[in-house]
Amino acid sequence: MAGFQVPSSVLIVGSGVFGLSTAWTLTQRPEYAATKITVVDDASACGGEFPPLDAASVDSSRIIRADYADPDYAALAAVAQAAWRRQGDDDLGGQGRYSESGLLLAADHPATATKAGKLTGMDYTKGSWRNVARIAREAGHPPDRVRTLESAEALREHLGTPGRPGDWGYLNTLSGWADAGEGMRWQYRRVKATGRVDFVDARVTELVTEGKRVVGTKLASGDILRADLVFVAAGAWTGALIDLRGRVEATGHVLGYIDITQAELDTLSRQPVVLNLTSGLFVIPPRDRVLKVARHSFGYLNPVTVPSALPLSPAAPRIPIVASLPVTARSGGPGRLPAEADADLRRAFGDLVPLRGLEGRPWRETRLCWYADTRDGNWLVDYHPGWEGLFVATGDSGHGYKFLPVLGDKVVDCIEGRGGALGSKWTWKQVPEGDRVGRETNGRFQGLITEDGSRGGSPGMILEEELGKKEVAKL
């Protein structure tokens, strides 16, 4: 902490997993006992709840796993899982907030040769298996807690499905899923109960600067909130406040829910989470008579004009830019899926679920979950290099929620300049000179592509274009 001065006040923009977990850690560290902590988020547009209901971290379920091809994330997730497994009423994993159902992770053999150094879903799956098998072994678990399923036939037999769940995979019985909405509400109540954090329900329209320093935020009302340190953790909305083109980009990922019978629930609740990293399709076991299917993919882009994002430095003008941003129910979201997504999610019922007849069932609800994506899947948790007084925590790339119990500690360590190996992964992203990612070229928006091997589907799809298509080619 050499040279670090504890801020007199911290303004946290965003009450998602980064914002709330950081607020909690600040209340627990004695050196921040005199620090004024404020969290601002636009909750009124989503029923007045913190965090807002359209936040990526608020949903019926999220996968909780240490199953990463990257050993640093695997190790950190294993630590987080220890907290999830605590089942007391007041613990994060208690009252049904965590279920250790197991995770079946699979992939398809690549259809074509891949470029050197580019990971495929199969590469990721096998790397993940090696990491979690080692973690389980070192923790003293029996070898059969993580076991391979080395053919399509073995995968089909284990799942009881006649479809095509993958060509190779493994079952990790030490992973599971969480009720994400309840977990976030648990964290909010815990932060609120400290009495140390002021929550402000308001929409932030821009960051306020004086000279080389960010000094606060301007609200839609025209009011200004000021702080010694401005901490922006606005998830996929961060690009509306800060120019992150080529570094972090909002991408929309499809979810669908169908009603099921009690008999179907009895069968499906005994299944593991199933995720195919080539297609990105996954199914999480239901607790109630509603089944969720989703796709962890390259996602949809929604390029819009952003009027007043903070430029890269005080020397650059604050001018309108085009960036991909979320469109949700609060902003008149589409309320339906593009045709290709509808067909793809229905394919998951045939490939990953041991019950027939679900493919044609009407949707109870559909949703787009908005990630803040980076090119390599590593987060951005660092001071902004062009401005003083501004710290940014975003770019979770769809895999931040499971770290809820430990994330705040790691983020505050980065604030204090002692982030270690993870902090090195999360530093400010460099963009090659002349790079056009995140920009329009000849009227066409060129999106950022996450190439860590964990994504399926087709990159670069524009949401508005896909919604305009009436039919979809057979998948």
Side-chain angles (χ1 to χ4, degrees):
M1 293 178 61
F4 173 75
Q5 291 187 332
V6 174
S8 60
S9 56
V10 177
L11 174 60
I12 300 174
V13 182
S15 61
V17 63
F18 276 107
L20 284 184
S21 60
T22 300
W24 169 255
T25 296
L26 291 174
T27 68
Q28 300 305 296
R29 293 197 179 181
E31 59 268 32
Y32 296 91
T35 298
K36 176 178 172 58
I37 307 166
T38 303
V39 174
V40 59
D41 207 341
D42 186 10
S44 61
C46 294
E49 290 188 30
F50 284 96
L53 296 177
D54 61 352
S57 51
V58 180
D59 190 18
S60 61
S61 53
R62 283 287 181 272
I63 302 173
I64 303 299
R65 59 180 172 96
D67 301 75
Y68 280 91
D70 183 300
D72 291 326
Y73 288 113
L76 183 62
V79 175
Q81 278 190 299
W84 282 108
R85 290 188 181 113
R86 290 197 283 270
Q87 298 287 298
D89 284 350
D90 295 330
D91 293 323
L92 174 56
Q95 297 183 323
R97 286 183 286 267
Y98 174 66
S99 301
E100 198 149 280
S101 62
L103 166 66
L104 192 155
L105 192 65
D108 303 340
H109 293 308
T112 59
T114 56
K115 295 180 181 178
K118 183 178 179 180
L119 293 177
T120 67
M122 186 64 77
D123 294 328
Y124 190 107
T125 301
K126 290 189 174 182
S128 174
W129 163 66
R130 287 189 290 269
N131 283 332
V132 293
R134 174 182 50 79
I135 289 170
R137 184 171 60 252
E138 292 173 352
H141 293 293
D144 64 353
R145 296 301 300 271
V146 181
R147 60 184 185 273
T148 57
L149 298 162
E150 301 194 12
S151 67
E153 292 75 18
L155 290 165
R156 280 195 293 266
E157 181 179 353
H158 184 85
L159 291 174
T161 172
R164 189 173 181 274
D167 293 322
W168 188 95
Y170 70 90
L171 176 69
N172 180 4
T173 64
L174 299 168
S175 290
W177 64 276
D179 184 326
E182 285 303 316
M184 290 302 292
R185 286 184 278 273
W186 174 89
Q187 182 75 316
Y188 167 70
R189 291 193 298 269
R190 191 166 71 145
V191 172
K192 188 73 172 175
T194 67
R196 291 282 323 283
V197 180
D198 293 329
F199 283 85
V200 177
D201 182 356
R203 181 169 64 89
V204 174
T205 59
E206 63 181 78
L207 301 182
V208 178
T209 63
E210 292 179 359
K212 298 180 179 180
R213 189 170 190 86
V214 175
V215 297
T217 61
K218 184 177 181 180
L219 308 181
S221 64
D223 293 339
I224 293 176
L225 298 177
R226 300 177 67 94
D228 191 17
L229 177 65
V230 176
F231 178 97
V232 177
W237 284 268
T238 305
L241 300 176
I242 303 169
D243 184 353
L244 293 175
R245 290 176 295 175
R247 294 176 172 85
V248 181
E249 190 165 80
T251 60
H253 302 258
V254 291
L255 315 177
Y257 305 82
I258 61 169
D259 291 317
I260 57 175
T261 67
Q262 183 62 46
E264 291 166 340
L265 171 63
D266 292 342
T267 296
L268 295 174
S269 62
R270 297 191 294 269
Q271 294 289 104
V273 176
V274 186
L275 167 59
N276 181 298
L277 281 178
T278 302
S279 67
L281 296 170
F282 67 93
V283 177
I284 294 178
R287 175 176 294 127
D288 301 313
R289 287 167 53 180
V290 178
L291 178 64
K292 169 184 169 180
V293 60
R295 185 174 68 185
H296 177 72
S297 65
F298 291 106
Y300 295 116
L301 301 167
N302 182 48
V304 297
T305 299
V306 177
S308 56
L310 187 75
L312 292 177
S313 75
R318 191 183 294 220
I319 59 175
I321 62 174
V322 174
S324 180
L325 290 181
V327 54
T328 69
R330 74 165 71 190
S331 52
R336 60 187 176 89
L337 297 177
E340 69 82 23
D342 189 297
D344 210 19
L345 291 187
R346 293 184 186 282
R347 178 163 65 95
F349 291 129
D351 286 344
L352 308 181
V353 176
L355 299 175
R356 304 280 60 83
L358 303 183
E359 299 92 328
R361 199 163 294 182
W363 297 115
R364 172 193 178 100
E365 178 189 355
T366 59
R367 176 183 174 183
L368 288 175
C369 176
W370 289 90
Y371 296 177
D373 272 342
T374 65
R375 300 190 200 208
D376 57 7
N378 288 325
W379 308 340
L380 194 166
V381 182
D382 199 1
Y383 287 96
H384 195 297
W387 296 90
E388 298 174 3
L390 176 61
F391 194 93
V392 183
T394 187
D396 83 306
S397 300
H399 66 105
Y401 181 83
K402 64 183 66 65
F403 299 99
L404 179 63
V406 297
L407 184 56
D409 279 334
K410 297 303 178 183
V411 171
V412 175
D413 284 348
C414 290
I415 291 174
E416 296 175 354
R418 50 190 186 92
L422 286 168
S424 296
K425 287 182 183 291
W426 300 340
T427 54
W428 186 260
K429 314 296 183 185
Q430 299 304 313
V431 175
E433 186 175 352
D435 188 85
R436 299 300 300 170
V437 170
R439 287 168 164 78
E440 285 189 325
T441 301
N442 298 324
R444 183 72 183 176
F445 186 79
Q446 182 177 341
L448 177 153
I449 299 174
T450 301
E451 294 187 305
D452 65 350
S454 74
R455 302 302 178 92
S458 302
M461 290 190 292
I462 305 296
L463 177 60
E464 185 176 9
E465 294 176 358
E466 295 301 320
L467 286 169
K469 296 178 180 178
K470 300 301 182 184
E471 297 181 358
V472 62
K474 187 175 180 180
L475 295 166

